[in-house]
Amino acid sequence: MENTLYERMGGENVIRSLANDIADNHLANPLIKTRFEIVEDMDKVKQIVFEFICAGTGGPQTYTGKGMLGAHKGMNISEQEFIAVVDDILLAMDQNNIGETEKKDMLAIAYSLKDEIIHV
Ligand code: HEM
């Protein structure tokens, strides 16, 4: 059987670093940083995003966070903000030397979630 995306990205340690870098990129991104500057416990969000990526790519971790609709409901997130988040994810994948095939796979997963996140 083909390796999981989790394994192809490098597993737990790389994904831990990836989740941290995604959050840091959001905080540095002028299009969305105000969304994250007001979050009280960014360490908790980093941990939940770590679990989300692990569980969603075939890792053994359990996801303990909310569903995507519940997590983003009422924020009125725009298409531009959604693209900014996806760009930050792809940038973080470059920062962690993750391959192009894996970036495409992650892009497809992220895109598939858009209707649970944009204008909900
Ligand atoms: C593919 C796109 C996205 C994914 C996979 C994603 C994933 C997540 C996850 C897993 C959480 C944690 C949920 C929990 O605490 O239980 C979260 C929280 C959050 N997301 Fe997203 N998200 C995406 C897009 C966005 C966008 C476009 C924005 C706005 C610019 C956004 C803003 C937030 C904020 C502000 C929180 C923290 C809420 C809080 O704890 O106060 N997200 N997201």
Side-chain angles (χ1 to χ4, degrees):
M1 204 179 92
E2 202 180 301
N3 284 347
T4 60
L5 177 55
Y6 175 84
E7 288 167 318
R8 288 188 281 119
M9 289 200 292
E12 175 155 12
N13 292 344
V14 174
I15 297 174
R16 173 74 65 192
S17 167
L18 178 65
N20 292 342
D21 289 346
I22 290 170
D24 292 343
N25 291 343
H26 290 347
L27 285 164
N29 187 335
L31 292 170
I32 51 171
K33 66 183 198 177
T34 55
R35 294 280 195 180
F36 294 90
E37 280 166 354
I38 57 166
V39 173
E40 275 176 23
D41 193 348
M42 268 313 270
D43 286 342
K44 173 99 189 288
V45 173
K46 286 178 179 177
Q47 169 63 26
I48 304 276
V49 168
F50 162 77
E51 292 171 4
F52 184 82
I53 298 171
C54 289
T57 57
Q61 292 80 359
T62 302
Y63 178 60
T64 63
K66 298 175 192 154
M68 288 301 94
L69 189 57
H72 302 95
K73 209 168 173 57
M75 288 191 207
N76 197 22
I77 291 169
S78 69
E79 289 84 353
Q80 185 187 41
E81 289 178 303
F82 183 83
I83 290 171
V85 160
V86 173
D87 282 340
D88 283 350
I89 295 169
L90 296 174
L91 171 62
M93 293 182 85
D94 282 340
Q95 290 165 330
N96 287 277
N97 302 309
I98 295 170
E100 290 302 314
T101 306
E102 289 70 31
K103 283 170 65 182
K104 285 179 190 157
D105 290 348
M106 188 71 99
L107 180 59
I109 294 171
Y111 190 81
S112 77
L113 300 170
K114 74 179 169 64
D115 292 342
E116 295 174 63
I117 295 171
I118 298 172
H119 296 308
V120 290

